[in-house]
């Protein structure tokens, strides 16, 4: 199972890099075309926007998995470990509820826009809104696992779950 999970997150990283590279190439090509030929590609503007949206959502999944989101933990540092554990469980539960709302809204938007065509490419708008579904399903699993670990971990060891990954800077 761990192999499948690792493969999924490796695929996410590859997708993020692909979206970024596609954005850079499309925007650069469009700038050159406008400067040199006094014309541009509307398709590249639309696709680069879509790639940016996908890059942001996929990146958010990856960062949640790595527990690397920015956070203000000044209150958590001031309370006792049992209270800290309760607050972490509560915040993770709230994120789960909000993710369910995102899933519901994303499914609705995707189904509503499945027949709507994008103006420049003619592709279904479901490709744009579908990333919300991918995001919500992925984060649901991550948050459920994090909630499980929070509940299972003794209060004395709760700080080990809060550790952020090292950026390699000392």
């Amino acid at each position: 199972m761990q192999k499948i999970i690792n493969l999924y997150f490796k695929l996410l990283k590859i997708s993020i890099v692909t979206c970024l590279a596609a954005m850079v190439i499309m925007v650069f090509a469009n700038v050159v075309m406008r400067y040199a030929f006094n014309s541009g590609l509307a398709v590249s503007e639309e696709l680069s926007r879509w790639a940016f949206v996908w890059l942001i959502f996929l990146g958010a999944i990856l960062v949640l998995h790595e527990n690397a989101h920015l956070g203000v933990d000044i209150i958590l540092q001031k309370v006792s470990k049992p209270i800290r554990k309760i607050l972490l469980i509560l915040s993770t539960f709230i994120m789960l509820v909000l993710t369910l709302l995102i899933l519901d809204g994303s499914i609705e938007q995707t189904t509503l826009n499945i027949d709507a065509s994008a103006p420049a490419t003619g592709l279904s708008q479901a490709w744009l809104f579908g990333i919300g579904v991918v995001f919500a399903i992925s984060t649901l699993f991550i948050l459920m696992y994090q909630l499980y670990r929070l509940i299972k971990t003794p209060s004395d060891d709760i700080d080990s779950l809060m550790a952020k990954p090292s950026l390699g800077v000392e």
Side-chain angles (χ1 to χ4, degrees), residues 52-88:
F52 183 68
V53 171
W54 275 78
L55 178 136
I56 297 300
F57 276 95
L58 295 177
I61 296 167
L62 192 60
V63 169
L64 179 65
H65 169 69
E66 294 175 354
N67 199 24
H69 276 291
L70 292 176
V72 179
D73 61 354
I74 193 166
I75 294 172
L76 289 176
Q77 298 303 324
K78 301 291 184 192
V79 297
S80 65
K81 288 187 179 186
I83 299 295
R84 189 177 307 162
K85 179 177 178 176
I86 290 168
L87 290 174
L88 287 170

Side-chain angles (χ1 to χ4, degrees), residues 67-110:
N67 199 24
H69 276 291
L70 292 176
V72 179
D73 61 354
I74 193 166
I75 294 172
L76 289 176
Q77 298 303 324
K78 301 291 184 192
V79 297
S80 65
K81 288 187 179 186
I83 299 295
R84 189 177 307 162
K85 179 177 178 176
I86 290 168
L87 290 174
L88 287 170
I89 289 171
L90 181 63
S91 67
T92 305
F93 181 75
I94 290 169
M95 287 190 290
L96 266 169
V97 170
L98 293 174
T99 301
L100 286 171
L101 291 173
I102 291 170
L103 178 62
D104 182 51
S106 296
I107 289 172
E108 188 173 334
Q109 281 297 317
T110 303

